[in-house]
Amino acid sequence: MRNTITGNILTPSGWINGAIHFTGRIDAIDGVDAGLADNPDDYILPGFIDLHVHGGGGRDIMQCGDAPHVIAAMHARHGTTSLLATTMTAPPPEITAALHAIGQACAAQRPGSARILGVHLEGPYINSGKLGAQPAFARVATLAEVRALGQYAPLRLITVAPEIDGHLQLVRELADAGIRVQIGHSAGTYEDGVAALAHGAAGFTHLFNAMSGLHHREPGMAGAALAHAQYAEIIVDLLHVHPGAIKVALRSIPHLYCVTDSTAATGMPDGEYMLGSHRVHKCMGGVRLPDGTLAGSTLTMDQALRNLVGLGLDLADASRRVSTYAADYIGETERGRLQPGCHADLVVLDRALNVKAVYVEGERSRL
């Protein structure tokens, strides 16, 4: 069935005040160039794309079963139309089981739920000294093991600590195989980061968090990102990263994009939840381990957009950082933009940037 909705439509060439017509894909957009202050109409933006999702709605991706579907449905209610299911560091059988469940969910997407585009393998190929909230099952990667895991679900992103012996060459092998490699959970030096980028690493996992920090005589992994990265993900819940550091990253990294790093506690009341094998507690808007370590977030992408606008970004720039740049990063050229021929993934916001409607490949989500 063909749908038509009207409002201020953000297209790649700017704002259009008019109508967008779509079925599963966008058929046409018509109207006039919009001055956003000149009318009270809703905003129509590309659907949000989240490349780092551990959970939501009370479920964690490592719980397998129907967890991927529950998580995808919950995030769709907040404007996310595509996501990567993100694993935790765990023993091999648990990672395999999670990937098997994700692969099944990818093959049987549900109407109105966010599309699961594949996997972000955040662990286990990380530095045991920079676990953050990851369980203590870090290990050295091999190309054979990664290829074996890829039989269960599409591996779209892999987080790697490049300073671990053997990982630098693996970065090159994975990049040559078409898998995006991110630097993260790393105690590496600035020089390690530069070397990893030269070997094909493409971005950084939750910038500033669980990596060696910036010092003026030891720039660290964060310094390598700020000096050289074209892409990096960042958590803008205003707990994981200070607003001033977010502004530094915005000025330094051209295609900085937002992720939620969301957990099972997202969209749920305060209380205890699972994050991989960890029990975590949600209170006061955050999620923490018993020792106080931040353990993922309760952020949703609509709130990430509002936080960016609150930091001073205009709405078009903020939209690109919760949608278009992430799509570009993983090669999804038919998502993250509103133009004829692209998937009809879109979110309708009121003038206060609250979600009014979400469409995933033309199907309206249940809010």
Side-chain angles (χ1 to χ4, degrees):
M1 184 178 73
R2 196 178 199 225
N3 297 287
T4 296
I5 58 176
T6 60
N8 294 302
I9 306 161
L10 181 59
T11 73
S13 56
W15 291 99
I16 296 291
N17 183 251
I20 181 167
H21 312 278
F22 57 94
T23 49
R25 291 180 180 265
I26 298 170
D27 300 319
I29 299 173
D30 52 57
V32 297
D33 291 347
L36 296 185
D38 299 338
N39 67 74
D41 295 345
D42 294 334
Y43 302 117
I44 303 173
L45 304 181
F48 308 142
I49 299 174
D50 191 350
L51 304 186
H52 196 140
V53 177
H54 290 289
R59 301 299 299 276
D60 181 87
I61 204 68
M62 301 300 291
Q63 292 174 324
C64 306
D66 68 345
H69 290 300
V70 173
I71 293 163
M74 181 257 131
H75 283 280
R77 293 196 289 273
H78 293 272
T80 295
T81 54
S82 299
L83 59 83
L84 293 185
T86 304
T87 58
M88 293 289 287
T89 298
E94 293 180 20
I95 292 177
T96 298
L99 294 184
H100 182 67
I102 296 166
Q104 289 182 320
C106 289
Q109 308 275 5
R110 295 183 178 176
S113 287
R115 289 292 178 261
I116 303 171
L117 302 179
V119 174
H120 176 175
L121 197 69
E122 188 181 11
Y125 311 129
I126 59 178
N127 192 314
S128 60
K130 283 289 184 181
L131 290 173
Q134 294 279 343
F137 296 102
R139 64 180 184 275
V140 177
T142 67
L143 184 60
E145 180 174 279
V146 172
R147 284 177 170 165
L149 292 175
Q151 297 174 8
Y152 297 98
L155 301 182
R156 305 296 297 273
L157 290 180
I158 298 181
T159 292
V160 171
E163 70 275 12
I164 303 299
D165 286 347
H167 279 189
L168 197 59
Q169 180 57 35
L170 180 72
V171 168
R172 169 57 64 198
E173 293 169 342
L174 293 174
D176 288 346
I179 298 173
R180 284 292 202 192
V181 181
Q182 295 191 160
I183 301 166
H185 287 276
S186 168
T189 64
Y190 170 89
E191 289 77 16
D192 290 326
V194 172
L197 291 170
H199 278 70
F204 291 79
T205 297
H206 42 52
L207 181 66
F208 297 120
N209 299 120
M211 65 176 61
S212 50
L214 174 67
H215 183 278
H216 60 284
R217 285 191 293 273
E218 295 181 7
M221 201 58 74
L226 295 172
H228 300 285
Q230 290 294 308
Y231 288 91
E233 58 172 62
I234 193 167
I235 307 168
V236 292
D237 61 354
L238 309 182
L239 290 174
H240 278 77
V241 184
H242 188 282
I246 296 172
K247 291 180 179 181
V248 169
L250 286 166
R251 294 188 68 174
S252 301
I253 301 175
H255 302 104
L256 186 76
Y257 64 90
C258 297
V259 297
T260 62
D261 198 7
S262 58
T263 64
T266 306
M268 301 297 289
D270 286 357
E272 189 176 82
Y273 298 91
M274 297 305 297
L275 177 61
S277 60
H278 283 320
R279 292 189 180 275
V280 297
H281 194 80
K282 175 184 178 180
C283 64
M284 300 177 66
V287 184
R288 297 180 184 273
L289 298 176
D291 67 1
T293 301
L294 281 169
S297 84
T298 62
L299 183 66
T300 55
M301 288 298 268
D302 58 332
Q303 186 60 53
L305 178 81
R306 291 189 289 269
N307 288 348
L308 287 176
V309 171
L311 288 172
L313 275 67
D314 65 54
L315 184 56
D317 189 12
S319 174
R320 288 188 288 270
R321 297 182 189 279
V322 295
S323 183
T324 312
Y325 291 159
D328 292 346
Y329 181 60
I330 61 170
E332 291 285 341
T333 58
E334 295 181 343
R335 301 185 192 272
R337 66 214 80 221
L338 301 183
Q339 61 186 25
C342 288
H343 291 289
D345 295 343
L346 49 96
V347 58
V348 182
L349 305 175
D350 66 19
R351 300 295 286 203
L353 305 183
N354 298 306
V355 175
K356 292 184 66 175
V358 180
Y359 295 84
V360 182
E361 295 182 2
E363 294 277 352
R364 186 163 182 168
S365 298
R366 187 176 296 176
L367 299 185

